[in-house]
Amino acid sequence: MTVEGVIVDLDGTVYHGDTLLPGAASAIDVFRERGLRICFFSNNPIHDGSEYVERLRGLGVDAREGEACSSGVVTREYLNGTHAGDTVFVIGSDQLRTLVEGTAARLVEEPAATDVLLASWTDGFHYRDMVDALRAVDDDTVFLGTDPDRTFPGEDGAPVPGSGAIINAIAGVIEREPDRILGKPSEIAVQAALERLDCAPADCLIVGDRLETDIAMGERNGMTTVLVRTGVTDERALERSAVTPDHVIDSLADIEDVLASLAV
């Protein structure tokens, strides 16, 4: 088959916290040597693409301007395209608020004054945030989530609660599911990645550690999927999942075996 581009997850695939996973930088070099276009894509909502490029370079990874995307970037682009001029109330981090402030939407501090409730990860999630959600939502309010990840790998690789846990808590309180969740595996995220790679889904490889986001996104869109065992997915989860990766490898360091099997 032909592979022209590769979507590479970050947390749990390339690094854990500030620690580069063994062989990850060399794997990116392999993609370069084979002429593949790269899109680094994290569901972490608090950084934009340029920040991820800088972080990867600091870890010794050959990352280049314009190659990185995140659920935060997708959220910013979605607000610009769909909610320009609308008010947005954020339950999330200060970094996400800064991203929203850079859009054509208007960040507000009073929940009752909002057109859009945007929920995401914050390590300061509090009972009062659920009260604010109740005050924010009426029949006309749009409810958005940045990404569905219930957990993500912490500094030591062990899982900690993510955006999905907070979004689910808010959904339970307001008795309503989000109108859209914007990160992987959404169609909005797919479009963002493919625009950066400039290739068709069938010519794209996606590598990640999470079945319900990375691998599901690839499976739904006809991409070749590669699961790495360095993140949140263990053998028990793999056996129970309805999502089946095309390839399973111990780490990104083993990507040459996959590329050889595809004759790339």
Side-chain angles (χ1 to χ4, degrees):
M1 65 170 291
T2 300
V3 178
E4 297 179 2
V6 55
I7 301 169
V8 183
D9 176 56
L10 293 176
D11 296 309
T13 301
V14 174
Y15 52 67
H16 285 154
D18 293 325
T19 302
L20 184 70
L21 289 168
S26 297
I28 302 305
D29 292 339
V30 169
F31 293 141
R32 302 274 184 216
E33 291 164 4
R34 295 180 182 243
L36 303 183
R37 295 187 287 275
I38 300 172
C39 175
F40 299 101
F41 202 136
S42 173
N43 255 1
N44 186 319
I46 67 174
H47 300 298
D48 67 15
S50 61
E51 290 175 298
Y52 278 112
V53 168
E54 182 178 353
R55 181 178 187 181
L56 288 164
R57 287 175 173 173
L59 291 172
V61 176
D62 181 10
R64 303 175 186 179
E65 289 302 323
E67 288 186 334
C69 191
S70 71
S71 65
V73 172
V74 172
T75 299
R76 182 177 63 197
E77 293 176 353
Y78 184 77
L79 291 176
N80 277 329
T82 307
H83 292 287
D86 289 346
T87 54
V88 180
F89 182 81
V90 173
I91 296 175
S93 65
D94 290 339
Q95 295 95 323
L96 181 61
R97 289 186 177 86
T98 299
L99 283 176
V100 172
E101 286 178 329
T103 72
R106 294 187 294 118
L107 181 70
V108 294
E109 298 300 326
E110 290 296 326
T114 195
D115 301 308
V116 179
L117 171 63
L118 175 62
S120 183
W121 174 87
T122 170
D123 60 2
F125 186 61
H126 192 273
Y127 179 83
R128 63 176 171 267
D129 291 313
M130 293 188 285
V131 174
D132 285 341
L134 284 169
R135 303 294 178 263
V137 171
D138 59 29
D139 291 343
D140 297 323
T141 308
V142 176
F143 177 24
L144 302 177
T146 56
D147 65 279
D149 291 9
R150 293 185 301 276
T151 65
F152 63 91
E155 292 289 336
D156 60 356
V160 295
S163 296
I166 291 171
I167 294 165
N168 289 343
I170 292 170
V173 167
I174 66 175
E175 299 183 280
R176 176 178 159 188
E177 293 302 310
D179 296 292
R180 285 186 181 272
I181 295 182
L182 300 167
K184 297 177 292 185
S186 75
E187 288 303 312
I188 298 166
V190 172
Q191 181 180 356
L194 294 179
E195 284 177 353
R196 286 161 172 80
L197 291 173
D198 190 26
C199 70
D203 299 325
C204 185
L205 191 73
I206 183 166
V207 186
D209 70 311
R210 192 178 292 271
L211 290 162
E212 67 273 20
T213 54
D214 305 306
I215 306 307
M217 185 167 94
E219 185 176 84
R220 293 174 189 174
N221 292 277
M223 302 174 188
T224 300
T225 58
V226 183
L227 179 77
V228 294
R229 292 190 175 99
T230 48
V232 298
T233 302
D234 56 22
E235 291 303 315
R236 183 180 182 187
L238 184 58
E239 290 172 2
R240 292 184 171 189
S241 176
V243 179
T244 304
D246 296 312
H247 304 271
V248 181
I249 56 179
D250 287 336
S251 73
L252 196 55
D254 300 320
I255 197 64
E256 282 194 276
D257 295 336
V258 174
L259 297 178
S261 72
L262 299 174
V264 176

